[in-house]
Amino acid sequence: MSRADAGGTPWWAGAVIYQVYPRSFCLADPDGRRRRLAEPGASRFAPPDGPLRAGVGDLEGVRRHLDHLARLGVDAVWLCPFYPSPGDDFGYDVADYCDVDPLLGDLGDLDRLVAEAHSLGLRVLVDWVPNHTSDRHPWFVESRSSRFSRRRDWYVWRKGRDGNPGLPPNNWRRAFGDGPAWSYDDASGEWYLHLFLPSQPDLNWSNPEVVEAMEAVLDFWLERGVDGFRIDVAHGLGKDPALPDLPPERAWLPVAAQHDDERTHPILRRLRARLDAHPRAPVALGEVFLLDATRVARYYGAGDELHLAFDFVPMFCGFDPRCLRRSLQQIDELLSPAGAWPALALSSHDRPRHRTRYGGSERRARLAAVLLLTMRATAVLYAGEELGLEDATVLEADRLDPGGRDPCRAPVPWTPDPDHGWALEGSRPWLPWPPEASTRHAASQWADETSILHLYRELLALRRTEPALRLGELRFLSSADPLVAFVRSGGGRSHATFCNFGDAPVRVPADALGSLGSPTLGQVVLSSLGRPAAHRDEPFDGVLGPEEAVVTRLAG
Ligand code: GLC
């Protein structure tokens, strides 16, 4: 695929990326799985027989549903980790960066997936997990083997605080469960650092050999044709070798949610230069989990670090017009002048789905879809949100994830039958189905033109045909709660989005009209609640139903 679309705009600017969590997307090839797991050594990391093994999705399941993505109209798919992994963090504990977990497929499956995605016009991003490996990764096994091992310095080893072996070297806390970000290794009498689970030791990015080894991983996937990388914990890489304590008032918060060290920026600049030099100009979409737009913006550097950085502040807003308006406006003010693009998402594999966070209402989920997909951003959809899925109820006995994230990782239902299009062969899926799976699945939603799925499809089609909605500038209109309204304009065209967060009808006030720069509120293009087709292209009367969003086309 070419570097950029006509006009020199990179393909990812204002694009829509669809996040697939392969374990939860679809299982299509259980025979292939059995065959692969029967090969000698293949099960080294795989869980023992049982639901976790049988009921997990695979890469072939992703390939078979690429037509769903193409029909929906997204630009790219981001695949969460599918690498060999013991599964303590379901793939984010990588034991081999250059292979596919036999549970999920093999390199041939991945190659077929990439080729088919490309033939459908979809780009493919893979998840690059540079901050840490699994403790079963051969690099760590070797590092741990002795204080004098050749790879000792590939990870972050320290003596106990003040020489006391019983005390962790500093006050950092890990994510997932309460505990220090350090584990003690009896054999060598030293501690190793892990921002996440003890089985996810942090790599030492100040060691040039680590940099080279992880760059070789990028090259491996680029040679297989991928179009870019989602970078896990991009803000975590650089570390002060003195590993100073966090100030006591912040020390309770996991370090992964606040680590922001200058040493990360040269690492990202080097990475960016490498990617930009590649003929396909692969994209770097970084996870920068700092919940502070100003700090996140710094990860774009001077246009020479990440191409895109997730800003998660809007994801933490709730169904709250003030919070959303404020955070979206701030992000735009920070990034637009530099021509940078925010990466925004409503849901992910790490947070409750937004419909669930918003109280379970589909109306609210529809409004949020209109807001996100008419915003100036590269939008990232989490698989299943286009079906309006809610989180599953996961009973205590069925919980698997140490970070409590099972409910949003419920399997995606494709069809009405009890296995919902998964080749389960009598086994249970690895997590329970989401609510209403027998009626709320892809097949029923494609068949129903009024479904939320068709709302997403329409929004994506609109974004494709109206460059102002994809690439245009953003201007918020002066409006008070419960209304959020903004205009996107470019290439001589303008669209306005009006969102009523209230549960009563509302009329767009005259002062909003004043700041619109247009004599009218425009012609209705779509409504989150699907106004009857007859009302489309009619002048918008300015009245929004409860929790309704309307997009209009403004005159000339
Ligand atoms: C990122 C991932 C999350 C994972 C963590 C550790 O935050 O999104 O799922 O658990 O990194 O790799």
Side-chain angles (χ1 to χ4, degrees):
M1 290 208 174
S2 62
R3 276 180 86 89
D5 293 331
T9 308
W11 70 264
W12 42 263
V16 179
I17 299 172
Y18 185 95
Q19 179 193 355
V20 165
Y21 194 72
R23 283 172 165 71
S24 301
F25 200 63
C26 187
L27 168 62
D29 182 21
D31 289 341
R33 170 171 297 166
R34 271 190 288 275
R35 204 176 47 244
R36 289 187 303 271
L37 288 174
E39 282 169 20
S43 302
R44 22 214 174 140
F45 305 119
D49 243 338
L52 194 53
R53 206 189 243 211
V56 167
D58 57 11
L59 289 184
E60 178 62 7
V62 181
R63 189 186 69 78
R64 297 223 188 139
H65 288 291
L66 287 173
D67 59 337
H68 174 83
L69 276 63
R71 202 172 157 198
L72 183 59
V74 300
D75 300 286
V77 52
W78 146 33
L79 299 170
C80 284
F82 47 74
Y83 316 111
S85 158
D88 295 347
D89 192 6
F90 306 108
Y92 283 100
D93 48 330
V94 181
D96 179 351
Y97 287 101
C98 298
D99 205 347
V100 175
D101 195 312
L103 202 59
L104 275 70
D106 58 23
L107 286 168
D109 290 325
L110 195 276
D111 290 343
R112 276 187 290 282
L113 195 167
V114 172
E116 190 159 329
H118 285 170
S119 74
L120 290 167
L122 299 166
R123 261 104 174 173
V124 180
L125 272 59
V126 296
D127 219 307
W128 186 55
V129 186
N131 182 67
H132 46 266
T133 66
S134 159
D135 63 348
R136 311 269 298 276
H137 193 295
W139 298 343
F140 187 72
V141 172
E142 193 178 344
S143 179
R144 173 178 226 165
S145 65
S146 137
R147 273 165 58 195
F148 308 102
S149 125
R150 191 170 63 88
R151 290 216 165 86
R152 185 65 166 183
D153 184 51
W154 280 42
Y155 294 82
V156 184
W157 291 94
R158 290 290 185 279
K159 299 204 178 315
R161 186 189 281 274
D162 304 327
N164 181 343
L167 290 179
N170 70 14
N171 67 354
W172 294 5
R173 312 292 295 171
R174 67 176 168 99
F176 315 142
D178 194 24
W182 295 94
S183 288
Y184 187 68
D185 178 54
D186 278 329
S188 61
E190 289 187 335
W191 297 76
Y192 64 89
L193 176 69
H194 50 85
L195 302 195
F196 296 90
L197 297 172
S199 56
Q200 293 171 295
D202 276 41
L203 281 162
N204 173 15
W205 274 81
S206 68
N207 181 328
E209 288 177 7
V210 168
V211 179
E212 275 168 35
M214 287 308 297
E215 285 178 349
V217 172
L218 296 174
D219 291 345
F220 177 87
W221 292 108
L222 288 171
E223 270 164 39
R224 299 201 98 88
V226 308
D227 304 283
F229 301 91
R230 181 269 188 180
I231 305 178
D232 194 57
V233 200
H235 59 300
L237 305 183
K239 282 161 190 125
D240 180 345
L243 298 165
D245 276 338
L246 282 163
E249 66 279 9
R250 284 199 276 122
W252 59 272
L253 183 70
V255 61
Q258 53 178 318
H259 186 79
D260 188 18
D261 190 279
E262 286 307 315
R263 291 163 190 79
T264 300
H265 297 283
I267 296 172
L268 295 178
R269 280 197 290 277
R270 178 177 160 139
L271 166 80
R272 170 68 176 267
R274 191 179 188 94
L275 296 182
D276 283 356
H278 189 275
R280 263 198 316 278
V283 65
L285 160 61
E287 179 198 32
V288 181
F289 190 84
L290 287 173
L291 298 185
D292 174 341
T294 313
R295 290 163 81 192
V296 173
R298 296 195 54 238
Y299 286 77
Y300 291 81
D304 56 357
E305 296 185 25
L306 296 173
H307 295 102
L308 296 165
F310 273 109
D311 192 309
F312 293 107
V313 175
M315 204 191 254
F316 280 75
C317 274
F319 193 71
D320 174 351
R322 202 167 304 171
C323 178
L324 284 164
R325 189 194 300 109
R326 197 179 43 225
S327 60
L328 293 170
Q329 194 159 5
Q330 188 196 8
I331 292 167
D332 188 59
E333 283 166 7
L334 285 163
L335 299 188
S336 280
W341 285 83
L344 298 179
L346 296 165
S347 288
S348 79
H349 65 300
D350 288 331
R351 290 272 297 144
R353 285 184 176 275
H354 61 277
R355 180 169 168 197
T356 301
R357 294 199 320 270
Y358 296 163
S361 146
E362 183 178 313
R363 287 170 92 86
R364 292 180 170 193
R366 283 170 173 260
L367 178 148
V370 174
L371 178 75
L372 175 69
L373 292 171
T374 58
M375 184 49 51
R376 182 183 179 280
T378 294
V380 183
L381 307 181
Y382 178 48
E385 73 171 76
E386 77 281 17
L387 307 176
L389 295 187
E390 289 183 81
D391 280 5
T393 303
V394 183
L395 301 176
E396 182 116 28
D398 294 330
R399 287 189 198 152
L400 301 171
D401 178 43
R405 298 162 295 179
D406 299 314
C408 69
R409 297 173 178 178
V412 172
W414 295 96
T415 57
D417 54 280
D419 288 350
H420 300 304
W422 287 54
L424 287 170
E425 300 181 331
S427 55
R428 289 200 307 165
W430 77 300
L431 289 168
W433 296 106
E436 309 179 289
S438 58
T439 49
R440 183 177 290 277
H441 46 75
S444 67
Q445 298 231 351
W446 278 120
D448 173 6
E449 294 239 316
T450 67
S451 66
I452 186 169
L453 175 60
H454 279 280
L455 172 68
Y456 271 83
R457 183 192 54 70
E458 257 190 273
L459 283 161
L460 288 167
L462 195 60
R463 234 175 131 97
R464 268 176 197 274
T465 52
E466 291 290 352
L469 278 176
R470 183 167 179 144
L471 296 172
E473 290 168 13
L474 168 70
R475 188 161 53 83
F476 279 86
L477 303 182
S478 57
S479 62
D481 300 346
L483 194 66
V484 173
F486 53 89
V487 176
R488 301 286 311 282
S489 39
R493 310 262 289 178
S494 295
H495 282 78
T497 299
F498 302 91
C499 302
N500 173 16
F501 282 77
D503 54 11
V506 101
R507 176 176 286 281
V508 178
D511 56 343
L513 188 59
S515 62
L516 198 57
S518 155
T520 69
L521 294 173
Q523 313 284 117
V524 174
V525 179
L526 65 78
S527 150
S528 59
L529 302 180
R531 294 198 172 201
H535 287 204
R536 297 202 179 172
D537 293 325
E538 282 186 1
F540 179 40
D541 61 6
V543 179
L544 292 153
E547 299 175 340
E548 184 184 25
V550 166
V551 181
T552 70
R553 181 179 298 119
L554 301 176

